[in-house]
Amino acid sequence: GGGGFFVPLLVLIVGFDVHASTALSQACLAGGSITATAYSVQAAHPSGKGPLIDWNLLVITSPPLLLGSLCGSFLNKWIPDIGI
């Protein structure tokens, strides 16, 4: 997703700590994701049959993704910098 690029960049060049860099990298990636989603919602599948986004797959995969994100954010808060 880009976190492997943004986190070291923010730590080494900007001087943020690892926890702040992780959160800020997620915010940076969210902006790109929102833009890509806005484009993809309007686009059609290359075959011309239906939308580009598979909404059924989205409904199935979103709940586990959200659960994993919540677990990761709690772990990020509790694990010391050296563990991340």
Side-chain angles (χ1 to χ4, degrees):
F5 172 75
F6 285 118
V7 172
L9 181 75
L10 292 168
V11 170
L12 296 174
I13 295 178
V14 181
F16 291 156
D17 66 1
V18 175
H19 287 285
S21 297
T22 302
L24 188 55
S25 89
Q26 293 300 312
C28 293
L29 296 173
S33 295
I34 290 168
T35 303
T37 301
Y39 170 79
S40 297
V41 165
Q42 300 172 1
H45 191 273
S47 68
K49 298 179 182 176
L52 183 60
I53 296 175
D54 184 350
W55 295 104
N56 294 326
L57 183 62
L58 181 74
V59 168
I60 293 169
T61 58
S62 292
L65 176 68
L66 292 173
L67 182 62
S69 297
L70 286 172
C71 291
S73 67
F74 286 124
L75 288 174
N76 183 41
K77 183 177 180 180
W78 293 332
I79 295 175
D81 287 348
I82 195 71
I84 297 175

